[in-house]
Amino acid sequence: MRVLLAASEVAGFAKTGGLADVAASLPRALAARGDTVAVVMPLYNACRKQPVERTHIVLPVPMGDRVLACRVFRSRLPNSDVPVFLIEHAPFFERDDQRAGRGLYQQRVNGNQTDYWDNGARFVFFSRAVLELVPHLGFAPDILHANDWQTGLVPVFLKELYRGVPGYQRLRSVFTIHNIAYQGSFPRELMNFTGLGSHLYNPAQLEHWGFNFLKSGIVFADMVNTVSPTYAREIQTGEFGYGLEGLLASNHWKLWGIVNGCDYDEWNPATDKLIASKFDAKTVFENKPLCKADVQRKFAIAEDANAPVLGLVARLAHQKGVDLVLAAAPGLIDMGCQLVVLGDGDRDLQNGLQYLRDKHPDRVGVYFGFNETLAHAVEAGSDLFLMPSRYEPCGLNQLYSLRYGTPPIVRGTGGLADTVVNATLENLADNLATGFVFGDYSAHALYETVRWAVALYRDQPAQFRQIVRTAMAQDWSWSRSADTYERLYRRAQGM
Ligand code: ADP
Ligand code: GLC
């Protein structure tokens, strides 16, 4: 297959969450299978930490009655030959600056994360540039693979504006939903920038609470997928669909669920240069304690070898269930646990966590910001990992936790339900358990599940060690997910 994957973030270049990991790992896995792949993303300031080269390609990108000329830069995905094309338009994309509180999509205003006012125009522009890039790739792609609302218009442009254009006729589109809660809804007037006919603005096509980019992608893509089978089912229901459940249910014939993989080149405790002591399944019980002491030092909490350390790394957003952690925390601390939290986002959640830290400085450590080294340290040094998500399309941190011998405690939703095997008595007896799963979205359910995990950790160490070993032996490598993506692409090709 020949694939152009378009994403608004790619790990190594610019990242806010799991989308970036997928956009870097899936192309590498496809390339390893012999597919021809390229990636396209905007050129943010953050991207300059990689060597990026100016090319002679200049794309004419129509925006309403103007045409903006944009230059294309080029790089490679780290540890691969996969080309990355970066679309330059400084006024739209070169504004990120961590220290000033300016991110890829949002900036901090009075302490609150606020969307940039022109996000709609920025990603109309980027999506149109993706189509304009197609003749310059050096190969003729079969598939345009768009991801999330930022590239939701790619399938629309392909079908509506490029269908008959030579070089585009055989192209088909695939659209991946990584998170249905973020839909990119904008005022109807934004249609004026797109060159799309205004007749498309109707409830069966582009309209849903405004001009909705995610919905547009779902309607116009040849095939659609999300990042786990359970989430693919969940989003067809009112509880999880964020208003798009009806649309998805009626399009279920083209909706697949494919679990993400884990990039074991980057997330492997046996080779990880970012952790205090490397370990594998044979050395985990000797070396993990060194990582634990390291994380306790890094978060300035008591260096207590016996306290179960609960780790959490997440965007501090409604989705992630941090409110349950806050509510359960007094009980968890009474139980003798320590808590280390790495996250960025919602100010109220940060305040709640900071309050806990101030009240229990030897038990609770927090770091607010994005820090990849600390993310590795937390995975390696914690005894248990918390992911009490309200919903979770796939989740990558639980996959990292499994490999780092840090049994995840998860709510059984989306990809968490598909990747973690609960430590029930039956699963323990069969050596199948890899973590702890609870159902109710309540602090009580979280508390009780941690209590069960801590009971095993303290009183049945042999049993707990078996969970660690089983977890570390799981294989969630990308190669198997890439195999399924290839089938998805073929299905789209036949459309
Ligand atoms: P989501 O995409 O919803 O944020 P995932 O679990 O799929 O959730 O992926 C999150 C990714 O972002 C992981 O690679 C995780 O390690 C990383 N991450 C999240 N928050 C931070 C942070 N504050 N610092 C470093 N890495 C983070
Ligand atoms: C999203 C989801 C997360 C998923 C990631 C990559 O941001 O919240 O569950 O793992 O995308 O697909």
Side-chain angles (χ1 to χ4, degrees):
M1 300 295 302
R2 287 162 302 194
V3 183
L4 174 61
L5 183 137
S8 58
E9 52 184 89
V10 179
F13 293 86
K15 165 166 169 177
T16 69
L19 167 62
D21 296 85
V22 175
S25 309
L26 171 61
R28 273 197 291 252
L30 290 167
R33 301 170 57 81
D35 297 324
T36 304
V37 199
V39 176
V40 54
M41 71 179 298
L43 178 65
Y44 306 105
N45 287 330
C47 301
R48 306 236 183 224
K49 61 188 170 233
Q50 295 290 342
V52 294
E53 244 173 62
R54 202 170 208 258
T55 69
H56 61 272
I57 308 168
V58 179
L59 306 176
V61 183
M63 286 287 280
D65 45 19
R66 294 171 61 196
V67 176
L68 303 179
C70 78
R71 190 171 282 283
V72 178
F73 285 65
R74 202 185 148 108
S75 186
R76 267 176 220 292
L77 289 179
N79 310 319
S80 82
D81 291 327
V82 176
V84 179
F85 293 93
L86 302 111
I87 304 295
E88 182 193 41
H89 187 61
F92 277 159
F93 301 125
E94 290 170 61
R95 58 174 76 161
D96 51 308
D97 177 354
Q98 250 211 19
R99 271 168 307 170
R102 285 196 299 274
L104 304 185
Y105 321 117
Q106 294 188 313
Q107 63 185 328
R108 203 171 279 282
V109 179
N110 301 327
N112 286 314
Q113 299 283 11
T114 315
D115 288 351
Y116 291 124
W117 68 276
D118 57 350
N119 274 350
R122 296 170 78 212
F123 290 102
V124 167
F125 172 85
F126 175 64
S127 298
R128 190 65 190 266
V130 170
L131 273 296
E132 286 296 325
L133 179 68
V134 167
H136 304 277
L137 295 172
F139 66 92
D142 306 303
I143 297 292
L144 278 184
H145 182 171
N147 293 273
D148 273 353
W149 72 264
Q150 292 91 341
T151 51
L153 296 184
V154 166
V156 188
F157 288 147
L158 178 61
K159 276 220 172 105
E160 288 294 315
L161 304 179
Y162 292 79
R163 194 204 302 255
V165 178
Y168 292 83
Q169 282 136 335
R170 289 183 46 249
L171 249 181
R172 295 292 178 270
S173 64
V174 166
F175 184 59
T176 302
I177 304 166
H178 295 265
N179 196 328
I180 204 155
Y182 302 89
Q183 300 186 359
S185 272
F186 300 98
R188 178 183 190 157
E189 291 65 49
L190 200 66
M191 287 284 292
N192 299 336
F193 287 132
T194 60
L196 296 167
S198 57
H199 64 282
L200 298 175
Y201 191 84
N202 70 70
Q205 293 180 295
L206 308 187
E207 181 187 359
H208 183 76
W209 299 109
F211 178 13
N212 186 311
F213 289 11
L214 191 87
K215 174 175 180 172
S216 303
I218 296 168
V219 171
F220 279 83
D222 292 302
M223 289 297 288
V224 176
N225 79 302
T226 182
V227 287
S228 67
T230 295
Y231 194 61
R233 284 193 300 277
E234 287 173 341
I235 56 179
Q236 298 178 49
T237 69
E239 188 185 347
F240 292 94
Y242 281 77
L244 297 181
E245 56 277 5
L247 173 74
L248 288 158
S250 56
N251 280 285
H252 73 274
W253 59 272
K254 67 168 181 180
L255 174 66
W256 290 22
I258 307 176
V259 176
N260 290 330
C262 174
D263 189 334
Y264 291 124
D265 289 334
E266 207 200 325
W267 293 94
N268 177 359
T271 55
D272 192 335
K273 295 194 186 73
L274 301 175
I275 62 177
S277 174
K278 300 187 180 71
F279 58 86
D280 58 20
K282 289 202 192 76
T283 53
V284 53
F285 302 113
E286 271 159 64
N287 295 0
K288 201 170 164 61
L290 304 174
C291 298
K292 175 167 173 172
D294 175 62
V295 90
Q296 287 169 325
R297 272 194 300 277
K298 286 199 162 89
F299 281 83
I301 56 176
E303 243 178 86
D304 177 350
N306 295 318
V309 173
L310 312 176
L312 186 127
V313 179
R315 289 181 294 108
L316 299 177
H318 182 71
Q319 168 188 355
K320 299 294 178 180
V322 182
D323 49 334
L324 296 191
V325 177
L326 288 174
L332 303 179
I333 290 165
D334 275 353
M335 213 189 280
C337 294
Q338 292 181 326
L339 180 63
V340 292
V341 180
L342 165 62
D344 201 6
D346 192 273
R347 188 172 57 160
D348 290 343
L349 294 173
Q350 286 192 18
N351 289 344
L353 290 163
Q354 186 63 49
Y355 173 82
L356 277 180
R357 160 74 181 175
D358 295 342
K359 196 155 176 224
H360 309 279
D362 56 341
R363 305 260 110 204
V364 178
V366 294
Y367 180 98
F368 303 127
F370 200 88
N371 187 314
E372 297 197 18
T373 308
L374 271 187
H376 286 248
V378 173
E379 288 291 358
S382 304
D383 295 300
L384 292 156
F385 196 88
L386 301 182
M387 276 183 96
S389 306
R390 237 183 207 89
Y391 68 92
E392 196 61 74
C394 179
L396 292 167
N397 276 306
Q398 82 280 15
L399 302 182
Y400 307 154
S401 302
L402 292 172
R403 184 49 60 105
Y404 282 70
T406 311
I409 297 178
V410 306
R411 184 154 174 270
T413 181
L416 299 174
D418 293 339
T419 57
V420 180
V421 181
N422 192 15
T424 58
L425 295 178
E426 292 81 359
N427 286 335
L428 287 172
D430 295 340
N431 289 343
L432 292 175
T434 61
F436 301 84
V437 185
F438 64 98
D440 270 8
Y441 190 81
S442 73
H444 179 70
L446 170 63
Y447 172 82
E448 288 298 334
T449 310
V450 176
R451 206 157 71 116
W452 170 229
V454 167
L456 288 178
Y457 174 86
R458 286 201 177 121
D459 306 331
Q460 302 197 48
Q463 192 72 276
F464 190 84
R465 286 178 172 215
Q466 183 55 47
I467 299 175
V468 170
R469 279 192 290 268
T470 309
M472 291 183 78
Q474 301 303 303
D475 180 5
W476 290 100
S477 58
W478 262 106
S479 59
R480 110 165 110 177
S481 312
D483 198 72
T484 317
Y485 270 99
E486 226 180 74
R487 283 196 286 122
L488 180 71
Y489 295 153
R490 285 197 198 289
R491 183 66 70 86
Q493 238 187 343
M495 293 293 185

